[in-house]
Amino acid sequence: MTTLHPTHLPQRGQQPGADGRSALLLADALRFAKNACAGRHDESGEAAIEHPLRVMATLHGDDEKVVALLHDTCAASGTGLVGLAGLRGFVPNRLLMAVTALGHGFEEADDVCFRFLLADPIALAVKLACIGDLTDPVRLAGLDPFTRRRRETAATTAARGLGTTVAAIRMSFTMT
């Protein structure tokens, strides 16, 4: 488990990421995510770490990138509590809240989950990027029909709960 490092704590009045602290946090998040996903694979047989890495690559801010790397770690670690406890050791509370808002699985979202996501700009950006990645037509084509349909249905429900559509989300990713 990664422990809290004093360089992760911003000084009073300092903007997050104002110096090299965000790079250290990003490196710690990547290490944590790789450990949580080690030996695991997604539904298409790809290493589980690939999804968070793709989501991270579509985002711009360091805070969003950290949350993107960590958004699946609680589920990937086998028990959400182990993953969440590990995150508390080095993730600032504002980012931990975003990770927690994303804690519901892709197919387990409900109205409360959507309210948390809509209230947190970092979590919302990561969720939209996550939906964009999980509905990528190339990756969907590699899934069996049942899994593909289940993922498409979950994405449609999530997009609707966030006040948008899968098509609008996908369009934003094809334009970048």
Side-chain angles (χ1 to χ4, degrees):
M1 174 168 51
T2 306
T3 57
L4 182 64
H5 193 281
T7 60
H8 294 154
L9 303 173
Q11 301 301 312
R12 182 169 286 173
Q14 185 178 32
Q15 292 298 316
D19 59 12
R21 289 186 181 100
S22 60
L24 292 172
L25 181 57
L26 195 56
D28 284 347
L30 178 59
R31 193 170 24 262
F32 189 91
K34 283 182 176 180
N35 287 336
C37 294
R40 297 183 182 270
H41 295 85
D42 68 9
E43 296 162 317
S44 66
E46 211 174 47
I49 189 65
E50 295 301 320
H51 167 67
L53 290 172
R54 286 190 306 268
V55 172
M56 180 193 73
T58 66
L59 299 166
H60 302 289
D62 286 345
D63 288 349
E64 292 173 347
K65 290 179 181 200
V66 167
V67 173
L69 284 171
L70 300 174
H71 82 277
D72 279 345
T73 57
C74 294
S77 67
T79 73
L81 296 176
V82 172
L84 196 54
L87 295 179
R88 284 190 183 112
F90 73 98
V91 177
N93 284 340
R94 63 191 164 73
L95 300 184
L96 189 59
M97 292 300 294
V99 172
T100 303
L102 290 157
H104 287 81
F106 187 60
E107 298 170 6
E108 300 168 4
D110 59 18
D111 189 49
V112 173
C113 175
F114 296 133
R115 288 178 194 223
F116 280 122
L117 291 168
L118 290 167
D120 188 319
I122 295 170
L124 180 59
V126 173
K127 184 65 171 183
L128 293 172
C130 179
I131 294 169
D133 180 66
L134 291 173
T135 59
D136 179 272
V138 173
R139 276 185 282 292
L140 284 174
L143 299 173
D144 66 83
F146 176 77
T147 303
R148 182 174 47 252
R149 183 68 183 136
R150 189 183 76 229
R151 189 178 283 183
E152 289 169 338
T153 301
T156 300
T157 301
R160 188 178 308 121
L162 297 172
T164 189
T165 65
V166 172
I169 293 169
R170 291 288 323 136
M171 184 173 293
S172 70
F173 286 95
T174 58
M175 298 176 81
T176 58

